[in-house]
Amino acid sequence: MNSQTQLKHLHGILSGRAMFSNLKQEDLKFLPSKGLVHDHIQIAGNRSGCSTMLIRLPRLSQFELDPNKNLEYQAACFSKASLSNHTPKLIVVLEPSKFLPMGALVVEEIKGKSINLPQDLTEMAKCLAQVHSLEVPDNYEKYPLICHSDPIAGVIKIINDQSKFINGVIDNSQVRKVLSEEITWARNFASRHVNHHPPPRLCLTDTHPGNFMIDTSGKVYFVDLEKALYGSPAIDLGHATILTSTLWDFDVQAKLSRVDIINFYQAYLKFLPVNLQDEIRPWLLPMRRLAWLRSVTWSCKWSAGQHNSKRIETGVRAQIQTHISNRLAAFVDLETILSIRSEWVGPNQLVLT
């Protein structure tokens, strides 16, 4: 289906709702692609208190959910996280249909730009602290979000599942050896903390810096909420500032110094209530290590999937796919791995507490 046909069908679906009764097809505009998982369409005009809105059109589910479950999950991510006032608000859910096979979400558009690192690290820390400080609901109210009642065991399961792809995509025996050592450490760490682990809180999961925006007032928002879950906030912090993440996005490219990283963590802790500071502080470095290992093993899984995929991207998406392939190769580059690993192995370990 070409873009104009898709806009025509979307206009027909939306204009049947009172909020969009005066919507014109020309009010809908595809935005430039930034990834392979979603398309975004801007809705011009002031409605429901928003100057503009975005339609998020899923192209696939990274949790491998069917279209209805995937849409329900993403809607819940937006609804729960928006209580922080640092994520877009959910406006409307458009159920899967013939012309919307994956459905769509209409959400508030955050007017702003990509963050700039390291300048915006403090405001990024504040954004994360506000989300992580949200009250944790009772179990039945967490649905449908994944809840890692033991956040260490939860991330270890993800790492174990993804690690099955390492040997199939990594030829370098030294890289495989280092990853094997890290996975052994992770499993032993989990075993030692079966009865002592951080309590779960709402986490954003995919917290690479490209998923944050800063508005004209200097406030930072997290805008890509499809993978939120209840787990360890320290995982979000690690993923936000590890080298593989800070070089991931087209628009946000930065190599943070150790001073930058330490300042980020210190700022984050100051934004938390004291009880949460004490709860999270002991887990900062080990969860940073697990966040990195989760990313590296995910890169192996993604690379294996792309190798077996028959989908051929064109135009901007082909450029994005090439960028992703290059970044994934850097994830498993031995020099990069050893540089990152020096944060927790060797004589010059990172001190975050």
Side-chain angles (χ1 to χ4, degrees):
M1 187 187 306
N2 65 42
S3 59
Q4 286 305 310
T5 302
Q6 198 164 25
L7 291 180
K8 178 181 177 181
H9 290 309
L10 274 168
H11 175 256
I13 292 168
L14 287 169
S15 59
R17 296 173 178 260
M19 182 188 304
F20 301 104
S21 59
N22 63 344
L23 183 71
K24 301 174 183 178
Q25 187 172 326
E26 52 264 36
D27 292 333
L28 303 177
K29 181 178 71 173
F30 270 97
L31 297 182
S33 293
K34 279 197 64 175
L36 300 176
V37 179
H38 286 90
D39 289 321
H40 294 89
I41 297 170
Q42 186 183 67
I43 307 176
N46 195 320
R47 297 174 178 85
S48 190
C50 302
S51 58
T52 54
M53 302 178 192
L54 288 181
I55 304 172
R56 286 171 52 95
L57 291 169
R59 303 186 77 228
L60 57 89
S61 167
Q62 295 200 66
F63 284 165
E64 300 176 353
L65 301 173
D66 68 50
N68 286 291
K69 291 291 185 183
N70 182 53
L71 201 64
E72 178 188 28
Y73 196 97
Q74 293 192 24
C77 291
F78 276 89
S79 294
K80 295 177 188 300
S82 65
L83 298 174
S84 69
N85 292 316
H86 279 267
T87 64
K89 295 178 175 61
L90 176 68
I91 309 297
V92 174
V93 177
L94 304 177
E95 300 295 340
S97 64
K98 177 181 178 181
F99 299 114
L100 281 178
M102 295 287 291
L105 300 181
V106 180
V107 301
E108 174 188 14
E109 181 180 18
I110 303 302
K111 287 291 193 180
K113 60 183 181 180
S114 298
I115 62 172
N116 190 8
L117 299 184
Q119 291 93 319
D120 296 327
L121 279 172
T122 297
E123 288 302 315
M124 185 170 80
K126 183 177 183 179
C127 170
L128 289 167
Q130 292 301 309
V131 173
H132 297 158
S133 298
L134 289 173
E135 184 176 349
V136 179
D138 294 332
N139 283 336
Y140 73 93
E141 292 178 329
K142 294 186 180 86
Y143 180 86
L145 299 196
I146 294 166
C147 179
H148 293 158
S149 55
D150 177 346
I152 299 174
V155 73
I156 294 298
K157 182 181 185 306
I158 294 169
I159 290 167
N160 282 337
D161 290 344
Q162 294 175 164
S163 67
K164 300 169 186 174
F165 299 93
I166 290 174
N167 289 340
V169 299
I170 297 178
D171 296 327
N172 188 311
S173 60
Q174 289 179 279
V175 171
R176 292 201 302 269
K177 179 177 181 293
V178 171
L179 293 183
S180 177
E181 291 170 358
E182 287 293 312
I183 290 167
T184 297
W185 170 84
R187 291 168 178 166
N188 291 338
F189 180 77
S191 297
R192 293 196 305 271
H193 292 87
V194 170
N195 297 315
H196 176 55
H197 52 74
R201 294 193 168 272
L202 183 62
C203 298
L204 300 170
T205 305
D206 196 10
T207 52
H208 71 76
N211 279 337
F212 293 84
M213 293 186 69
I214 186 167
D215 70 10
T216 53
S217 73
K219 181 177 179 178
V220 166
Y221 293 80
F222 183 82
V223 296
D224 192 3
L225 286 129
E226 65 179 295
K227 294 194 286 188
L229 52 75
Y230 290 95
S232 169
I235 290 276
D236 277 359
L237 305 181
H239 191 64
T241 53
I242 207 84
L243 182 63
T244 44
S245 294
T246 62
L247 293 176
W248 175 257
D249 192 83
F250 271 124
D251 298 325
V252 186
Q253 296 277 300
K255 292 185 178 181
L256 300 178
S257 69
R258 289 203 172 193
V259 172
D260 293 331
I261 294 167
I262 291 167
N263 288 344
F264 166 79
Y265 276 87
Q266 290 179 345
Y268 169 83
L269 290 171
K270 289 177 182 177
F271 287 124
L272 294 178
V274 173
N275 65 310
L276 291 191
Q277 293 178 25
D278 295 337
E279 176 185 299
I280 292 170
R281 187 178 280 109
W283 307 102
L284 295 179
L285 188 59
M287 288 301 186
R288 182 176 180 83
R289 190 172 184 175
L290 290 176
W292 169 77
L293 191 54
R294 183 189 66 180
S295 291
V296 173
T297 54
W298 170 83
S299 77
C300 295
K301 179 181 178 181
W302 182 272
S303 296
Q306 290 299 104
H307 179 74
N308 296 324
S309 174
K310 296 180 180 179
R311 175 181 289 181
I312 299 175
E313 302 289 0
T314 59
V316 173
R317 287 204 186 99
Q319 296 173 23
I320 294 170
Q321 193 171 54
T322 299
H323 172 76
I324 289 173
S325 296
N326 292 337
R327 293 311 314 146
L328 294 181
F331 275 43
V332 294
D333 170 72
L334 181 61
E335 184 178 347
T336 301
I337 287 174
L338 295 179
S339 175
I340 294 172
R341 200 184 189 213
S342 69
E343 293 183 5
W344 48 79
V345 174
N348 190 28
Q349 296 182 26
L350 191 61
V351 178
L352 297 175
T353 55

